[in-house]
Amino acid sequence: MDWVLLFTLAAVVFFNRYIFLEPAVPVRLPGIIRDALKYSAPCLLTAICGPIILLNNGELRELTTNPYLYGSLAGVLIALWVRHMIVSVLLCLSVFYLICWMI
């Protein structure tokens, strides 16, 4: 069920972004709606990642020993600092696994 939901949400986001934001498609929306559609992917990722970071089997994770919380905070800081996608992903994964190993 999770994979079906994930692929359905990915298809909806792709459809919205392609149809309404692709310059070659003759559909034109007002500027405020185009700007709102630019936030669909971050909103979807937040909705997916939030429960993974904060919950474990339906219960709230302990914040002091939560490697997902520390890894996500480190990931945000690294992404803001590095500004290069591949390098920041590799650094974020390295930091996350280091935190998991230490905790």
Side-chain angles (χ1 to χ4, degrees), residues 17 20-21 29-43:
R17 291 179 65 85
F20 297 124
L21 298 177
L29 294 173
I32 192 166
I33 295 176
R34 280 197 315 262
D35 290 340
L37 286 174
K38 291 179 183 178
Y39 293 103
S40 62
C43 291

Side-chain angles (χ1 to χ4, degrees), residues 4-74:
V4 172
L5 180 63
L6 183 65
F7 286 127
T8 303
L9 291 173
V12 167
V13 169
F14 174 77
F15 175 76
N16 284 338
R17 291 179 65 85
Y18 180 76
I19 293 297
F20 297 124
L21 298 177
E22 176 63 31
V25 177
V27 176
R28 295 290 172 239
L29 294 173
I32 192 166
I33 295 176
R34 280 197 315 262
D35 290 340
L37 286 174
K38 291 179 183 178
Y39 293 103
S40 62
C43 291
L44 180 63
L45 287 174
T46 302
I48 292 171
C49 294
I52 294 171
I53 293 169
L54 297 175
L55 299 176
N56 185 19
N57 295 328
E59 296 179 5
L60 190 63
R61 293 182 192 264
E62 186 177 340
L63 295 180
T64 57
T65 60
N66 185 353
Y68 293 95
L69 178 65
Y70 296 133
S72 62
L73 292 174

Side-chain angles (χ1 to χ4, degrees), residues 69-81 88 91-93 95:
L69 178 65
Y70 296 133
S72 62
L73 292 174
V76 168
L77 294 175
I78 289 170
L80 288 173
W81 180 55
S88 66
L91 284 173
C92 291
L93 285 172
V95 168

